[in-house]
């Protein structure tokens, strides 16, 4: 079911959404190239950030074009195959993003709370397992959501289990439980970091290392906070939709959806703002210097 939209509004909408897509793609490409190219950035934490950037890049490449078409033509949810495809890809990538953030919070927990065993507990092998599990579980959740939604459309009654899976269990496992877990982990990290600040009496190098870990944790906690700010309104809408069975206008739903998707655009700016080595890497890439020689071993400041 599609409705026509005034051509001027359509053009302006395409220009605006196209700009968001371009910024999202370019920003996440910078993150991906930086982590792959510069050896200084080859760390377990950055491997998780790399996989998260891939998910964000796919949002810019795939989900944004789908959304541009559906937003401009006012496609009503679940009434078109294109809508289902969009929601499936969107759900997979958003679930993958939050599970990656969950893994990153676990990485930060060991880095700050168990610094002596961090390098043995969180190595590249463990990180690869985290990444594979995150993507696999994302596909599993969305596949189950799709099956339940299809069954729900076919039946007139006795669909309690499918409705429960599609409307309640899906958001719980893909959003609410990971968010609660992350909040608990970051609260624990905050308390431990506060104790470390008060008790550091060691060498300058020890204090510097602890400061670096706390700054890294603060940055990644900001990434999580921005994610919650972008995605919470949409999931809260779904929650109240299940409770009250009331819907809002198409424009409001699409606005909430675009707010959620904008998270994929913001993460690279957060890294650039907090991390000086990402800024240095971005400058070397944008200026084209990496094509003029081998800068992979460069010391990023």
């Amino acid at each position: 079911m599609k409705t026509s939209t005034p051509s001027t509004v359509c053009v302006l909408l395409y220009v605006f959404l196209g700009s968001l897509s371009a910024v999202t793609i370019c920003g996440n490409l910078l993150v991906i190239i930086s982590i792959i190219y510069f050896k200084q950035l080859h760390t377990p934490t950055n491997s998780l950030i790399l996989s998260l950037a891939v998910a964000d890049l796919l949002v810019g490449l795939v989900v944004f074009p789908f959304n541009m078409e559906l937003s401009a033509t006012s496609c009503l949810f679940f009434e078109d195959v294109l809508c289902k495809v969009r929601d499936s890809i969107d759900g997979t990538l958003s679930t993958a993003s939050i599970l990656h953030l969950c893994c990153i919070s676990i990485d930060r927990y060991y880095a700050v709370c168990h610094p002596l065993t961090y390098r043995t507990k969180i190595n590249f092998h463990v990180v690869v397992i985290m990444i594979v599990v995150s993507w696999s579980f994302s596909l599993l959740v969305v596949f189950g959501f799709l099956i339940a939604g299809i069954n729900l459309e076919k039946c007139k009654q006795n669909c309690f289990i499918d409705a429960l899976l599609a409307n309640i269990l899906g958001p719980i496992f893909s959003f609410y439980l990971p968010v609660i877990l992350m909040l608990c982990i970051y609260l624990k990290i905050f308390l431990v970091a506060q104790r470390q600040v008060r008790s550091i009496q060691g060498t300058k190098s020890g204090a510097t290392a602890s400061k670096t870990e706390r700054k890294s944790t603060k940055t990644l906690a900001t990434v999580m906070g921005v994610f919650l700010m972008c995605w919470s309104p949409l999931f809260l809408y779904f929650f109240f939709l299940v409770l009250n069975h009331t819907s809002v206008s198409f424009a409001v739903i699409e606005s909430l959806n675009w707010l959620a998707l904008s998270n994929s655009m913001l993460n690279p700016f957060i890294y650039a703002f907090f991390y000086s080595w990402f800024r240095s890497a971005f400058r070397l890439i944008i200026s084209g210097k990496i094509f003029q020689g081998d800068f992979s071993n460069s010391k990023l400041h």
Side-chain angles (χ1 to χ4, degrees):
M1 294 172 60
K2 299 181 180 180
T3 57
S4 60
T5 307
S7 57
T8 304
V9 174
C10 223
V11 170
L12 292 175
L13 193 58
Y14 270 118
V15 170
F16 174 70
L17 299 182
S19 301
L20 290 184
S21 179
V23 172
T24 301
I25 293 170
C26 293
N28 285 288
L29 269 179
L30 284 174
V31 174
I32 292 170
I33 295 171
S34 297
I35 296 174
I36 291 176
Y37 183 81
F38 295 101
K39 293 181 179 179
Q40 182 182 336
L41 301 181
H42 292 180
T43 66
T45 304
N46 285 342
S47 296
L48 288 169
I49 292 176
L50 172 63
S51 188
L52 176 62
V54 170
D56 290 337
L57 176 66
L58 290 174
V59 170
L61 280 173
V62 182
V63 180
F64 272 49
F66 269 119
N67 262 36
M68 287 167 62
E69 173 63 22
L70 301 185
S71 296
T73 56
S74 300
C75 173
L76 300 182
F77 292 123
F78 304 112
E79 296 295 338
D80 192 287
V81 173
L82 198 62
C83 298
K84 290 184 175 66
V85 172
R86 187 274 298 265
D87 291 336
S88 301
I89 299 174
D90 196 354
T92 300
L93 296 177
S94 62
T95 302
S97 292
I98 195 168
L99 291 180
H100 277 81
L101 291 174
C102 213
C103 292
I104 288 171
S105 68
I106 294 171
D107 169 85
R108 292 298 86 203
Y109 170 78
Y110 278 100
V112 175
C113 301
H114 303 283
L116 298 179
T117 60
Y118 168 64
R119 296 192 181 278
T120 57
K121 294 282 188 181
I122 308 295
N123 51 45
F124 281 103
H125 178 70
V126 173
V127 166
V128 168
I129 293 175
M130 286 182 172
I131 292 172
V132 171
V133 169
S134 296
W135 283 104
S136 300
F137 187 77
S138 301
L139 291 170
L140 183 64
V141 167
V142 174
F143 182 73
F145 179 85
L146 268 178
I147 295 298
I150 292 172
N151 291 338
L152 194 60
E153 288 178 358
K154 290 180 179 178
C155 65
K156 301 293 183 181
Q157 54 186 358
N158 299 325
C159 294
F160 176 75
I161 298 299
D162 292 317
L164 183 69
L165 180 61
N167 298 323
I168 299 177
L169 295 184
I172 286 176
F173 283 107
S174 63
F175 183 78
Y176 295 113
L177 284 182
V179 164
I180 292 171
L181 176 62
M182 281 190 287
L183 290 175
C184 292
I185 290 175
Y186 277 115
L187 177 60
K188 174 67 175 178
I189 291 173
F190 175 76
L191 295 175
V192 171
Q194 289 296 103
R195 289 201 300 269
Q196 289 177 350
V197 170
R198 291 193 294 266
S199 63
I200 284 179
Q201 300 290 337
T203 63
K204 180 180 178 182
S205 60
T208 302
S210 179
K211 181 180 179 181
T212 301
E213 294 296 352
R214 289 198 305 273
K215 181 179 180 181
S216 178
T217 300
K218 180 180 178 181
T219 303
L220 297 170
T222 302
V223 171
M224 192 200 81
V226 171
F227 181 92
L228 291 177
M229 182 181 68
C230 293
W231 280 97
S232 293
L234 184 62
F235 275 96
L236 287 175
Y237 164 74
F238 289 148
F239 178 74
F240 287 113
L241 179 64
V242 172
L243 289 182
N244 300 324
H245 301 287
T246 56
S247 59
V248 297
S249 68
F250 175 82
V252 172
I253 298 173
E254 281 299 282
S255 297
L256 292 177
N257 196 50
W258 276 106
L259 174 64
L261 293 177
S262 67
N263 175 248
S264 297
M265 178 186 67
L266 296 175
N267 283 341
F269 293 100
I270 297 174
Y271 303 139
F273 180 79
F274 280 96
Y275 288 133
S276 59
W277 52 83
F278 268 116
R279 290 197 297 273
S280 299
F282 290 174
R283 281 195 293 268
L284 287 171
I285 295 170
I286 294 172
S287 64
K289 287 185 177 180
I290 63 171
F291 301 107
Q292 301 170 9
D294 185 7
F295 288 86
S296 59
N297 292 307
S298 299
K299 183 67 175 178
L300 302 173
H301 301 285

